[in-house]
Amino acid sequence: MAEHSMILTETQGPAGIIRLNRPAALNALCNTLTREMAEALRAFDADPAIAAIIVTGSEKAFAAGADIKEMQHLRHPDTYMADFIAESWEAVLTVRKPVIAAVAGFALGGGCELAMMCDMILAADTAKFGQPEINLGIIPGAGGSQRLTRAIGKSKAMEMVLTGRMMSAEEAERAGLVARVVPAAELLAEAVKVAEKIGALSAPAVAMAKEAVNAAFELPLREGVRLERRLFLGLFGTEGQQEGMAAFVEKRKPAFRG
Ligand code: CAA
């Protein structure tokens, strides 16, 4: 992995861990940080030893949003011509391995949007989610108005986007934004456990399961169900399917080979 100045990377078993590490700015997502995160995502995605990627921050902040100081003097149409908030921000969407956001502390603005671009969110009990852009005279710009609305419904999303109100971890779980809430001290270990579970499964089934669920956000129901069926049928004859079903019939644990 290349040297980075604003993220830390490590592996734990099959988990590739990217820790956003810009404490002085509560992990505000400046250009350097998002570029480094994109590089690390691509490197872990290409590494056959890695089954899932975890994106996390510090105890105080997952990420407090796009870097307001970097944005302050930007003007349209330069923002548009430079395709501001596109390429490196959205790298997480092109990764084929599951990406788990492990969120403690603030996940605000672009930080909340980054978490929502991941495949699932595990939240520490200290997590706070919000889209406070309205307080800056702007609106969410990395998918917040769309993904938050799909995750928690119109009324709650509208209140958060219109007023900037933050949501606690508990409320986020109730609303369906996060998969689970865990004690802050156990957050990373819990995320690694999820990665280990995924790492012990059949890799083609994992990749297709991710593709199928994510398609639910892009396709009309009929198309989504068709895609699911094609992927499902395509798994028959794979080593994973043969091993998984043989193990069930023989009453033993399956031993998937990745
Ligand atoms: N951009 C740049 N710097 C930031 C930042 C951000 N988004 N968030 C925090 N910081 C910096 C602060 O400026 C401060 O730096 P200095 O010490 O140099 O002044 C440092 O991080 C610590 O922050 P605070 O002193 O404010 O810490 P706090 O504990 O009092 O408050 C907070 C924490 C409530 C998260 C507060 O920092 C805050 O409101 N941050 C901004 C949140 C926000 O508006 N995010 C949306 C950004 S816009 C966006 O994301 C657009 C998009 O959709 C893509």
Side-chain angles (χ1 to χ4, degrees):
M1 186 79 64
E3 276 294 299
H4 292 117
S5 61
M6 293 191 181
I7 61 166
L8 299 170
T9 58
E10 62 167 307
T11 60
Q12 280 189 36
I17 303 169
I18 302 173
R19 186 181 287 281
L20 311 183
N21 185 39
R22 196 189 169 205
L26 301 183
N27 293 334
L29 299 159
C30 62
N31 287 330
T32 304
L33 195 157
T34 53
R35 181 177 41 76
E36 290 185 355
M37 181 179 62
E39 282 167 11
L41 283 164
R42 291 192 190 107
F44 279 140
D45 203 29
D47 181 345
I50 297 301
I53 302 170
I54 298 168
V55 180
T56 194
S58 68
E59 267 175 39
K60 179 153 187 204
F62 177 72
D67 189 320
I68 299 167
K69 292 167 191 167
E70 213 174 59
M71 289 186 293
Q72 181 184 1
H73 299 295
L74 294 178
R75 296 287 177 272
H76 194 268
D78 301 344
T79 45
Y80 180 83
M81 297 310 278
D83 205 11
F84 176 61
I85 310 233
E87 203 206 349
S88 64
W89 276 78
E90 294 194 346
V92 67
L93 298 175
T94 61
V95 165
R96 297 192 69 199
K97 290 173 184 165
V99 185
I100 303 159
V103 176
F106 295 111
L108 301 179
C112 186
E113 291 169 307
L114 171 63
M116 291 190 292
M117 280 186 233
C118 296
D119 296 311
M120 71 177 92
I121 303 176
L122 283 190
D125 47 12
T126 57
K128 290 190 188 68
F129 298 89
Q131 298 288 161
E133 289 90 342
I134 201 80
N135 296 321
L136 299 168
I138 55 171
I139 67 169
S145 65
Q146 306 301 298
R147 291 196 179 89
L148 189 65
T149 308
R150 288 172 195 218
I152 67 175
K154 176 172 165 177
S155 242
K156 258 186 193 295
M158 197 64 98
E159 191 199 2
M160 288 178 72
V161 171
L162 281 179
T163 70
R165 179 174 80 80
M166 283 189 226
M167 202 180 247
S168 67
E170 191 196 302
E171 183 180 357
E173 186 183 30
R174 241 185 297 128
L177 181 63
V178 308
R180 258 182 313 130
V181 180
V182 300
E186 291 160 28
L187 177 65
L188 188 62
E190 283 296 325
V192 169
K193 271 193 216 158
V194 175
E196 282 168 350
K197 171 73 189 160
I198 291 169
L201 300 170
S202 161
V206 166
M208 290 186 206
K210 164 171 167 151
E211 185 181 347
V213 175
N214 279 330
F217 290 90
E218 311 284 349
L219 299 178
L221 182 61
R222 182 181 279 267
E223 289 302 313
V225 170
R226 274 207 190 111
L227 173 74
E228 180 195 76
R229 191 172 313 137
R230 281 197 297 273
L231 292 170
F232 167 77
L233 296 174
L235 283 166
F236 283 76
T238 59
E239 246 183 76
Q241 175 262 335
Q242 309 251 300
E243 170 60 11
M245 293 193 181
F248 178 83
V249 172
E250 292 159 22
K251 298 189 187 297
R252 60 174 173 83
K253 276 199 158 172
F256 295 114
R257 291 202 301 148

